[in-house]
Amino acid sequence: MPNQKHTLFVCTTCGGKWQDGKRVGESKGEQLLQQLQELAQNSELHNQFCIQGVECMSACSHSCVIAFTAEGKSTYLFGDLPVDGSTSAILEGANLYYAKADGLLPWSERPEALKKGILAKIPPLNKWANLNVSCC
């Protein structure tokens, strides 16, 4: 069982309505965050993942956006997730991510909503720490 901290980030800016440069009402991202937090309370994820809202994940044309991340694992960014009907798939994907030591989520193993919505897979930072690679 992995022991590193896992985080499910949810963009709270996604799907917001704006007027005069200010957000009006609750965004779809905030709704998704609330639904995920409520559903996770009664699941194994409650003690495995921190579900955290973030202001903006800079994928505005793909709302709603979430990310799975943990130290030593690849980070996954998913978008184009509907508020209604994707929470179970997101939590199923989070369970799969948690269970994988390297965090790799093969396309064939992902829930349907996470097969279409992949925006990025970012390798873990520590993967490059021991290589003789000079940066900058």
Side-chain angles (χ1 to χ4, degrees), residues 8-96:
L8 167 55
F9 288 115
V10 181
C11 180
T12 58
T13 306
C14 281
K17 294 180 183 169
W18 297 82
Q19 183 176 352
D20 299 324
K22 295 181 183 178
R23 189 169 48 200
V24 177
E26 189 176 56
S27 71
K28 290 183 180 184
E30 289 170 316
Q31 293 170 20
L32 182 61
L33 175 63
Q34 289 173 350
Q35 288 178 18
L36 287 166
Q37 288 172 330
E38 288 173 16
L39 191 57
Q41 295 246 337
N42 298 322
S43 76
E44 295 174 21
L45 279 179
H46 183 67
N47 295 318
Q48 299 169 350
F49 261 85
C50 172
I51 301 176
Q52 181 178 335
V54 294
E55 258 310 299
C56 182
M57 293 175 72
S58 295
C60 302
S61 62
H62 296 284
S63 69
C64 288
V65 176
I66 61 108
F68 301 134
T69 188
E71 185 178 337
K73 292 187 175 187
S74 295
T75 294
Y76 282 85
L77 183 68
F78 294 96
D80 299 315
L81 299 168
V83 173
D84 297 323
S86 66
T87 53
S88 291
I90 293 168
L91 293 181
E92 182 183 342
N95 271 320
L96 289 169

